[in-house]
Structures are given as C-alpha cells and as structure tokens.
C-alpha cells in the first residue's frame, strides 16, 4: 500500500510555543490530506481537510488560527499548533487517499507542559 | 450526515475463540466500509474493506459481512491470537468521498 510519513513521532513543548507537524506522501501524490486528533481510548476526530494550492477546510469547532494548515506541494502538508497549551496535548495523525483507500501517517504525540 | 455506531466498546476473548464486532450506519448513500486496526500509539492500519455491491469478503482469519438493507456490517476474526489485541475501528464512506465517518472503536483483548 501507499506510504504516508509523519514527523515528529512525539514532541514535548512549553506552553505558548508553536509546534509544526509534517505529513508526506512518499510514493504517491496527494492533492488532499486529512488531519485528525485522537484522545486516549477515543476515535479519530477529523480536524481539517488540507488542499494543495488552496485553503484548508476546517471542521466545525476547530480554530483556524490555532491549527494552521499548509499544503505546500502534492506530497507535503503541515499542521502547526500555534501558542500551544496543555489542553492541546493529544495524538495528531494525518491521512491521505490513494487508489480509493485511505492511508495514515504514524501519528504525533504532542505533550504541552 | 452519516452516523456510525460500533459495538461492543470492549471485547475480551480467549486465544483461539472468534471475535465479532458490529457496526451500523445511517446514510443509505454510504457504499464503502473499511475496517482499521490500531495498536497503542500507532497508526490505524486498513485490514479489510467491503463495497456495497458485495455481501461478504474474507481474507484468511478475517471476514467482513454487509447487510445493506439493515445498514449494518460486521468484522469477524476467527482463531484469535494475542497479536490481534488492538483497537478496531469501522468506518463508512459515500461515493467518491475520502472522508470516513468512524465508529467509536472496539478494544479487543485476546488472552493467551
């Protein structure tokens, strides 16, 4: 299957700092990528849809200025958590479609102190 | 929008037993139903999927059944092994969409 690479795998940061998470499609092009947030023992919650060459589409309740998404190329999407606070601590995971199937990145565990 | 219900939330079985996880969906336009396995701290992995033009699909110890009329689909794992222990998510998507609606997940525990 297709490979989606996500970095970093985990990050610990101080409150108030910004954290950037990268998601790359390694062997295919992705005009669309999806960003999810997952709390412990819960399902995946879609945050936003990243579109190459245009603005991201955010789900209801997700702050655009808090979670900045950039889809710079057909293989790279980034999620920046700005001015992170402890409540932003979570598992963030991206995904991209290929051949009518959805493939996930390895996830980023964010801990904000 | 689509709503996917998944049961049970936790399933504990003995090694060698079968495990069944059930999902229902609400949108009759949904036509693609993938199942994902997620181990702790790792990415969800697609383990099997089924489209609405098929009633059953099998891959070794894993099978999925779909009842379009009743709008429910199930994951069946036979001869369970400890390495099957994980959280399993069902999902439903409708024509051409790549945005799945996920179930809440089932934590499967296989005791050796």
């Amino acid at each position: 299957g297709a490979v989606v690479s996500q970095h970093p795998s985990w990050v610990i940061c101080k409150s108030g700092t910004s954290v950037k998470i990268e998601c790359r499609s390694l062997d295919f092009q992705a005009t669309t990528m999806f960003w999810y947030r997952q709390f412990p023992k819960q399902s995946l919650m879609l945050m936003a849809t990243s579109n190459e060459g245009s603005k991201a589409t955010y789900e209801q309740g997700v702050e655009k200025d808090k979670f900045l998404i950039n889809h710079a190329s057909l293989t790279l999407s980034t999620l920046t958590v700005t001015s992170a606070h402890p409540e932003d601590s979570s598992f963030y995971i991206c995904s991209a479609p290929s051949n009518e199937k959805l493939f996930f990145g390895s996830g980023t565990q964010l801990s904000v102190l | 929008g689509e709503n996917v219900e998944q049961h049970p939330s936790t399933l504990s079985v003995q090694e060698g037993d079968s495990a069944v996880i059930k999902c229902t969906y609400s949108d009759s336009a949904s036509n693609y139903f993938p199942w994902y396995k997620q181990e702790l701290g790792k990415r969800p992995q697609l383990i099997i999927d089924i489209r609405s033009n098929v009633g059953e699909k099998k891959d070794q110890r894993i099978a999925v059944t779909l009842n379009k009329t009743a709008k429910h689909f199930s994951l069946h794992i036979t001869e369970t092994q400890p390495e099957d222990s994980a959280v399993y998510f069902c999902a439903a998507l409708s024509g051409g969409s790549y945005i799945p609606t996920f179930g809440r997940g089932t934590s499967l525990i296989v005791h050796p």
Side-chain angles (χ1 to χ4, degrees):
Chain A
V3 178
V4 177
S5 175
Q6 183 173 343
H7 295 281
S9 299
W10 56 270
V11 58
I12 301 173
C13 68
K14 291 183 179 180
S15 187
T17 60
S18 294
V19 174
K20 180 187 279 189
I21 303 169
E22 291 189 349
C23 182
R24 293 179 186 273
S25 56
L26 296 187
D27 50 1
F28 66 102
Q29 294 183 331
T31 55
T32 301
M33 290 187 179
F34 304 104
W35 287 96
Y36 292 87
R37 184 173 182 175
Q38 187 177 32
F39 292 105
K41 297 186 179 181
Q42 292 191 23
S43 192
L44 296 135
M45 182 187 76
L46 181 65
M47 299 175 63
T49 301
S50 168
N51 304 297
E52 189 269 336
S54 63
K55 291 183 179 180
T57 305
Y58 290 82
E59 295 301 301
Q60 191 174 9
V62 178
E63 299 177 57
K64 301 178 184 181
D65 296 331
K66 174 75 173 176
F67 301 100
L68 298 179
I69 289 173
N70 183 275
H71 199 136
S73 73
L74 287 172
T75 58
L76 174 64
S77 175
T78 60
L79 168 67
T80 301
V81 183
T82 62
S83 186
H85 291 282
E87 56 267 30
D88 298 325
S89 298
S90 188
F91 189 64
Y92 293 87
I93 192 163
C94 65
S95 69
S98 176
N99 293 330
E100 299 185 329
K101 297 182 188 294
L102 201 59
F103 295 91
F104 288 87
S106 52
T108 298
Q109 183 64 52
L110 171 64
S111 297
V112 185
L113 304 178
Chain B
E2 175 66 279
N3 181 46
V4 176
E5 298 283 341
Q6 182 172 348
H7 298 279
S9 56
T10 305
L11 180 58
S12 184
V13 300
Q14 288 296 128
E15 182 177 1
D17 288 351
S18 295
V20 180
I21 302 170
K22 299 181 179 181
C23 289
T24 60
Y25 61 99
S26 60
D27 188 353
S28 55
S30 290
N31 58 5
Y32 176 59
F33 307 92
W35 285 88
Y36 294 90
K37 175 184 179 182
Q38 186 180 26
E39 297 177 13
L40 188 63
K42 297 190 177 180
R43 77 184 83 197
Q45 299 268 20
L46 177 68
I47 56 171
I48 197 168
D49 55 11
I50 192 168
R51 297 192 181 275
S52 59
N53 58 348
V54 175
E56 183 174 359
K57 185 176 178 180
K58 190 173 182 181
D59 182 3
Q60 299 183 344
R61 296 187 296 109
I62 295 172
V64 57
T65 58
L66 171 65
N67 183 326
K68 285 195 302 180
T69 304
K71 295 200 191 76
H72 65 72
F73 55 112
S74 301
L75 178 71
H76 304 253
I77 306 174
T78 58
E79 301 171 38
T80 54
Q81 300 166 3
E83 48 266 39
D84 294 330
S85 297
V87 178
Y88 291 80
F89 293 99
C90 64
L93 296 86
S94 59
S97 170
Y98 289 114
I99 305 178
T101 300
F102 286 98
R104 286 176 171 262
T106 297
S107 177
L108 173 64
I109 303 166
V110 181
H111 298 280

